[in-house]
Amino acid sequence: RGLTVWQPMAWCIAEGIKPLENRTFRPWAGVTHVAIHAGLKWHAEHARQIREYLELYVPDRTDPQIVHGAVVAVARLGKIWTEDDPQIETQQWFSGPLGWSLEDVRKLTPIPCSGAQGLWYLPDDVLAQINAQLEAT
């Protein structure tokens, strides 16, 4: 399934910097992996917060590393964190209400693709390109 994430968060996930994605909904039953789709939007406030509060490097929105409208990584879904979890303070990326743990993230050469809200089905040609890249590594 595809999951559209605004930049620079999609870049952070693909680079292995951000191991958790905040959502308001749980993944569909049976979904074990997601393709991280870099959405068309740039979230300037998130970029500022990452730079200032987490003191991490984030490219500028005009940097060639920042792509839009493409699948940039795949990840295995792990634990779904909630605000009530007694160890939630260990998750610096958590802002709730649910935090999807993204594990075994594999960065891809960007695959152009339209995204959607929520979880969505990947087009067959995009899925084939993802599988080809994963098999080649």
Side-chain angles (χ1 to χ4, degrees), residues 18 37 42 61 71 86 104 120 129:
K18 183 176 187 274
H37 174 265
W42 171 265
R61 72 181 302 167
V71 174
D104 303 325
W120 45 274
Q129 292 177 65

Side-chain angles (χ1 to χ4, degrees), residues 6-7 11 19 77 106-107 123:
W6 291 358
Q7 289 288 27
W11 178 85
L77 290 177
R106 299 198 44 201
K107 184 177 176 180

Side-chain angles (χ1 to χ4, degrees), residues 45-56 92:
E45 180 61 16
H46 284 169
R48 185 191 66 74
Q49 289 172 350
I50 294 166
R51 289 179 184 125
E52 291 181 15
Y53 299 121
L54 300 178
E55 297 179 350
L56 297 172
Q92 71 174 351

Side-chain angles (χ1 to χ4, degrees), residues 111-130:
I111 301 166
C113 177
S114 295
Q117 291 184 341
L119 279 175
W120 45 274
Y121 290 96
L122 294 161
D124 290 340
D125 64 319
V126 172
L127 188 55
Q129 292 177 65
I130 291 170

Side-chain angles (χ1 to χ4, degrees), residues 64-116:
Q65 295 178 76
I66 300 295
V67 298
H68 298 273
V71 174
V72 296
V74 294
R76 181 174 56 80
L77 290 177
K79 179 177 180 156
I80 304 300
W81 293 88
T82 67
E83 296 164 333
D84 299 332
D85 193 298
Q87 295 182 330
I88 197 60
E89 68 276 354
T90 66
Q91 301 301 310
Q92 71 174 351
W93 291 94
F94 183 84
S95 62
L98 299 171
W100 298 13
S101 181
L102 303 172
E103 301 175 357
D104 303 325
V105 174
R106 299 198 44 201
K107 184 177 176 180
L108 301 171
T109 299
I111 301 166
C113 177
S114 295

